[in-house]
Amino acid sequence: MLARVRASGLKLTPQRLAIARELAGDPAHPTAQELFERLRPAMPTMSFATVYNTLDALAAARLCVSLSLSPGAARFDANMAPHNHAVCDRCGLVRDVPSCTNGEPLAEIAPCVNAAATGFSLRAVERIYRGVCASCAADVPTSGRSRAGKPR
Amino acid sequence: MLARVRASGLKLTPQRLAIARELAGDPAHPTAQELFERLRPAMPTMSFATVYNTLDALAAARLCVSLSLSPGAARFDANMAPHNHAVCDRCGLVRDVPSCTNGEPLAEIAPCVNAAATGFSLRAVERIYRGVCASCAADVPTSGRSRAGKPR
DNA sequence: TGGATACGTAGAATTTTTCTCAGGAGCAAG
DNA sequence: CTTGCTCCTGAGAAAAATTCTACGTATCCA
């Protein structure tokens, strides 16, 4: 992994190492804010901008991706294997879901996309499973107070 | 349509009407900012907060949805029929794509999601087609300067 | 028409993200 | 070793996106 960081022309700094490790060890897709708060005790001098800079650098090196699945802060994912995401409508929690129903190769889907968006060059298909996570379903199971205007 | 607005317990105001009409007439999924700028000439007294309030109200009434498909401002979609979205990695443009490969009923997918996220109550599956739109492919076709860290 | 309620306006406040600039550290060549 | 170059960090400010608050007003239903 260190090799992969350096192979990308990135310098290996303590901040990058800490952020990469924290991200790789957390399947819950933390936000930049969460990463910053978790790492601050260990690296009190690190600034917030460094978290963003580092995440951008890691993303450019294809070591993580940023996810904009729900309103609010972006979440970051160090899992670079193809997979999908389950997103809770209420709390915004994101869980990885393996691509278990994956059958269609891109080449099959592309014509369909191009019929609607002429000239669109398809790179990837992403699936988002919308719903309510177990812990949100447990709290206030009635009342339907889900946030309005959620992405479909 | 007016009936649908009122049926949702919403009052029909000129601002809501203008925003709903603008949204329904634009397949390009405008942002709140774009809506505000387009409507300001016609309604110079309208404030930015009104755009957000109105979009929230429309979304709560299931007359539109907000889309968080890429970093930056949320985009809004008045097309409430089931469909998917093609998103340009470079310019963020969003195009509707009919659900042409839709085969799997939710009940079939749910077990797969639950295997990864125990207790997740699946409501909808959304597909995002990532790629580069025709006009972005035309500009700077080489150079690979796409923004780093884009969502997968 | 009239009254209750919900809405719009404006500005400020919050949150999220990016930018700028001044050091500082690592690396290559001399 | 040291000089020079580049890339990185830190800090704050700035920009962008969204939400909140208060008060006057418009809208709806009867």
Side-chain angles (χ1 to χ4, degrees):
Chain A
M1 157 128 183
L2 307 185
R4 286 207 300 171
V5 173
R6 250 177 313 214
S8 319
L10 290 184
K11 291 186 183 170
L12 193 58
T13 66
Q15 291 83 355
R16 291 183 173 179
L17 195 56
I19 289 171
R21 196 184 310 146
E22 184 67 32
L23 199 54
D26 180 357
H29 308 83
T31 62
Q33 182 78 55
E34 287 164 355
L35 286 171
F36 177 62
E37 283 167 6
R38 280 188 225 160
L39 293 174
R40 193 157 42 175
M43 316 192 67
T45 74
M46 187 171 63
S47 82
F48 204 79
T50 296
V51 177
Y52 275 104
N53 288 342
T54 299
L55 288 168
D56 279 354
L58 293 176
R62 307 241 158 230
L63 295 169
C64 78
V65 286
S66 96
L67 304 173
S68 305
L69 302 177
S70 49
R75 292 174 174 275
F76 294 86
D77 188 353
N79 177 358
M80 298 305 288
H83 65 283
N84 298 306
H85 293 105
V87 183
C88 178
D89 288 339
R90 294 202 197 157
C91 67
L93 182 95
V94 176
R95 295 290 290 267
D96 284 349
V97 177
S99 321
C100 49
T101 62
N102 249 12
E104 319 121 323
L106 280 193
E108 255 177 48
I109 303 172
C112 162
V113 175
N114 272 271
T118 312
F120 191 87
S121 160
L122 188 62
R123 177 178 58 76
V125 179
E126 181 181 345
R127 282 180 184 207
I128 302 178
Y129 301 107
R130 304 271 177 198
V132 176
C133 74
S135 74
C136 282
D139 312 342
V140 275
T142 58
S143 103
R145 281 309 282 128
S146 71
R147 271 165 69 190
K150 270 310 181 35
R152 302 177 353 103
Chain B
M1 157 124 182
L2 306 186
R4 287 205 302 169
V5 173
R6 250 179 312 218
S8 319
L10 290 184
K11 291 184 182 172
L12 194 57
T13 66
Q15 291 85 354
R16 289 182 175 180
L17 196 56
I19 289 172
R21 196 182 312 143
E22 183 67 30
L23 199 54
D26 180 358
H29 306 85
T31 62
Q33 180 80 52
E34 287 164 356
L35 287 171
F36 177 62
E37 284 166 6
R38 280 188 226 161
L39 294 174
R40 191 158 45 175
M43 315 192 68
T45 74
M46 186 171 64
S47 80
F48 203 81
T50 296
V51 177
Y52 275 105
N53 289 342
T54 298
L55 288 168
D56 279 355
L58 292 177
R62 306 240 158 232
L63 294 170
C64 79
V65 286
S66 97
L67 303 173
S68 304
L69 301 177
S70 50
R75 292 171 174 276
F76 295 85
D77 189 353
N79 177 357
M80 299 306 286
H83 65 282
N84 299 305
H85 293 104
V87 183
C88 177
D89 288 338
R90 293 200 197 159
C91 67
L93 181 95
V94 176
R95 294 291 288 267
D96 282 350
V97 177
S99 320
C100 50
T101 61
N102 249 11
E104 320 119 325
L106 281 194
E108 254 177 49
I109 303 173
C112 163
V113 175
N114 271 271
T118 312
F120 192 86
S121 160
L122 188 61
R123 175 178 59 77
V125 179
E126 182 182 345
R127 282 182 186 206
I128 302 177
Y129 302 107
R130 304 272 178 198
V132 177
C133 73
S135 74
C136 281
D139 310 342
V140 273
T142 56
S143 102
R145 280 310 280 129
S146 71
R147 273 166 67 192
K150 272 304 181 42
R152 296 178 355 103

